Amino acid sequence: ARTARTTAASLEGDRKAVLALFDDDFKRWAEKDFQYSEWAAKALAPVGEPELALDWLENSFERGNINYPYLSEHTSFLANLRGHPRFEALMERVKSEWDRFEAGV
């Protein structure tokens, strides 16, 4: 239910509502999982929280999220991060892991 409320608030551009749903309990829970960390980044990026979004996206990567095509090009929720120096540096790391995975290394 929390993810649905937060996604709705993000789509509505309601920064205050999005941030209110990121309490300590949620953070402790979400930081352990790459999918919820990615979801957190995608909720925060559209409401003008690029640094927090990038923190969560980096955590998602550290938890195993290496889906380079999706993160770098396909998800519109991260569109306003593209071109940000931290995002571009992270995508270099993600692409490296993606390429290694593709090659079976």
Side-chain angles (χ1 to χ4, degrees), residues 43-105:
L44 290 160
V47 296
E49 290 292 336
E51 296 303 325
L52 285 174
L54 287 162
D55 289 346
W56 282 103
L57 198 57
E58 287 170 350
N59 188 68
S60 180
F61 169 72
E62 294 299 327
R63 300 285 176 268
N65 189 357
I66 61 166
N67 192 339
Y68 176 74
Y70 177 74
L71 295 173
S72 67
E73 299 173 22
H74 299 296
T75 179
S76 61
F77 287 98
L78 301 177
N80 67 344
L81 297 180
R82 293 186 182 107
H84 189 289
R86 274 182 68 195
F87 181 82
E88 297 305 324
L90 177 60
M91 288 304 104
E92 287 181 24
R93 294 169 54 206
V94 172
K95 185 174 186 328
S96 175
E97 291 299 315
W98 175 263
D99 289 345
R100 286 180 31 187
F101 176 78
E102 288 271 295
V105 177

